[in-house]
Amino acid sequence: MSMKPLLSLGSKKLPNVAGAREEDGASRTLPELEKKPTICHCVRQHRMSRTAVRHITARSGDNAAARGFRRPISSCTVDSTPKRYKLIKLTDTSSSQVKDLLAILMKALLAICYVAGLSLISYSYFSSQPRLLPGSENDPKLPHPLKMGPGSAGEGPTNISHILFGISGSTKTWNDRRKYAELWWQPNVTRGFVWLDERPAGPDWPSMSPPYRVSEDITRFKYTHRDGSPSAVRIARVVKESFELGLENVRWFVMGDDDTVFFPENLAAMLGKYDYNEMYYIGGVSESVEQNVMHSYTMAYGGGGFGVSYGLAAELVRVLDACIDRYSYFYGSDERIGACMSEIGVPLTRELGFHQLDIRGDPYGLLAAHPLAPLVSLHHLDYVQPLFPGMTQIDSFKKLIGAYKADPSRTVQQTLCYDLSRNWSVSVSWGYTVQLYPTLVTVKDLQTPFQTFLTWRSWAPHPFTFNTRPLSPNPCERPVIYLLDRVQEVATGRTLTTYKKLPIEPGRECGLENYAPVQSIQLINVSAGVLEPDVWRKVPRRQCCQVVHGAESGMAAGDLKVSIRGCYRGESVTPW
């Protein structure tokens, strides 16, 4: 294929090739081109779109017509068909256009910086403002805001009036179980409702019982556990329905069963440690390991009761119904609540005063060595032996509650002391029992409960979620046991409780010589000051006691007096 030079040089005018740019409206001649290097691009209009660009430099003083182009770089040649090529003359971009482009870019950059700065300032300002508390009167998401005002929930320490109880019951069980609720319910003081599955028959509701409400219909919810009851869904929703009542001055929603006995003053003192505006889920686990393994260690067991702060309840009600359906395969209501708390991201705060009482047999060992925490609740009372032998469970509780009313915070609190003159050990569970040992027993053993009970499901001797020690069948290895007989208020802020020796079964006496003096003690009187509720807001410490001797005791022969007091600085419970 023959090739021709793209340009014929001389003084002739260059043709104005389509697409080439002319400056000032005139074509340039060769001499003008020789004054300034010209750059040409060979653009091939062919199916091969990537034709190499050759640069041709025209030099002044050369006889281009005669000699053709030298090879300063390379020659630009094209196909012999001239219609397939175009000559595009490129000129330098004008400086004014470059300046205009740069100016536009700078303005855009300044605008972006300005907007970003305003956003940062706004974010810093509003993020530093107090955020709306869920439940505050300005929170538009809540149907029933928390009212603040004189004497309202926003002032002072938590008391019983700030707690709304939600008691799960049914029309079939209430008549048999209301006796437990009526032990602790205080009309016109405690607040809350029994939530029933249907309206009870008869026009009159017992005046000493909590008022009732009928739960909403739950047929729209799924329940797929093969062994349980759909009522678990209804009971799980009690906290939601309680919240939606919109009652004023409520800080805590406390859930429990119709056979749960609460100790309201202790409950209020314990909850008062926590900020109800925050999200708290407070309760206890089962005493039997097998129950926790089967259900969960991270949920509060509903029979023992649990507390939900207002701040958490406001979040829970938004997600509860959908959450309940997601866990349709769970057995109980408390499992569902625990799972929903996990979805919100709130863990269980364990308090040792909640007692599910997932045990069988005699609860004596547990209550005689109660953990260092206020007694808050007891459950499953129909499944354990009466607290006091020879009495019904209801009468037993009436006796215990009699002591509780005299000194709520001290009830079943364990105090340990020694009589070194006789090498005796004394363990007092205030308001319930005293154990007297004719030997010196270490504090570690004394604070470990006797195992007087079995596990809940398998009736096995172990395991439990706390340590136990065996109660020996040998009477010479057991303490002499005394149970509460009466409570007296002897002075302002002081009580005197009397404990009577538990009769020993014939043939079960210990014949050892050192046991005789102990067995001769018939009554033990315990003097103590009333324990203020705010003690539970502080770091807990077990109080000390001492055995009072001689005329100072004012006791008759065969009696023993113990005085409970706060421990001195540097004092140890063990004096040797």
Side-chain angles (χ1 to χ4, degrees), residues 263-328:
F263 298 84
E265 287 80 4
N266 286 349
L267 176 64
M270 180 272 296
L271 294 176
K273 297 189 300 182
Y274 304 97
D275 184 353
Y276 65 93
N277 294 319
E278 301 294 333
M279 292 192 288
Y280 279 107
Y281 170 47
I282 303 174
V285 298
S286 173
E287 290 82 2
S288 293
V289 168
E290 59 191 12
Q291 288 293 98
N292 294 314
V293 170
M294 177 175 292
H295 300 291
S296 177
Y297 275 98
T298 60
M299 75 178 194
Y301 281 67
F306 60 89
V308 178
S309 65
Y310 191 96
L312 177 55
E315 295 297 323
L316 180 63
V317 297
R318 295 185 176 100
V319 303
L320 185 62
D321 285 349
C323 180
I324 286 174
D325 262 351
R326 277 193 289 276
Y327 298 98
S328 63

Side-chain angles (χ1 to χ4, degrees), residues 533-562:
D534 62 359
V535 70
W536 301 118
R537 296 175 180 269
K538 305 173 184 177
V539 177
R541 183 185 182 186
R542 196 183 309 278
Q543 288 202 315
C544 295
C545 65
Q546 64 188 58
V547 176
V548 182
H549 295 96
E552 182 184 355
S553 68
M555 300 295 295
D559 294 344
L560 186 71
K561 184 174 182 180
V562 175

Side-chain angles (χ1 to χ4, degrees), residues 32-50:
E32 291 175 323
L33 292 175
E34 289 177 346
K35 294 177 184 178
K36 185 176 181 180
T38 302
I39 301 174
C40 298
H41 284 198
C42 298
V43 180
R44 183 176 181 180
Q45 295 178 332
H46 200 264
R47 64 178 176 271
M48 297 179 63
S49 61
R50 295 185 179 180

Side-chain angles (χ1 to χ4, degrees), residues 411-488:
T411 302
V412 302
Q413 293 306 303
Q414 188 184 28
T415 308
L416 309 172
C417 53
Y418 300 90
D419 182 356
L420 294 183
S421 66
R422 292 177 281 194
N423 287 338
W424 288 0
S425 304
V426 182
S427 173
V428 178
S429 176
W430 191 93
Y432 181 47
T433 185
V434 176
Q435 297 171 358
L436 184 59
Y437 298 79
T439 57
L440 296 178
V441 183
T442 64
V443 170
K444 182 65 175 175
D445 285 338
L446 291 176
Q447 70 179 13
T448 303
F450 279 122
Q451 188 182 330
T452 58
F453 41 81
L454 302 173
T455 62
W456 174 256
R457 179 172 294 273
S458 61
W459 296 64
H462 58 77
F464 297 96
T465 54
F466 48 87
N467 297 113
T468 61
R469 55 180 172 140
L471 184 60
S472 173
N474 184 349
C476 296
E477 296 177 357
R478 293 186 175 198
V480 178
I481 294 176
Y482 301 77
L483 294 173
L484 178 68
D485 184 56
R486 61 184 180 270
V487 182
Q488 299 172 271

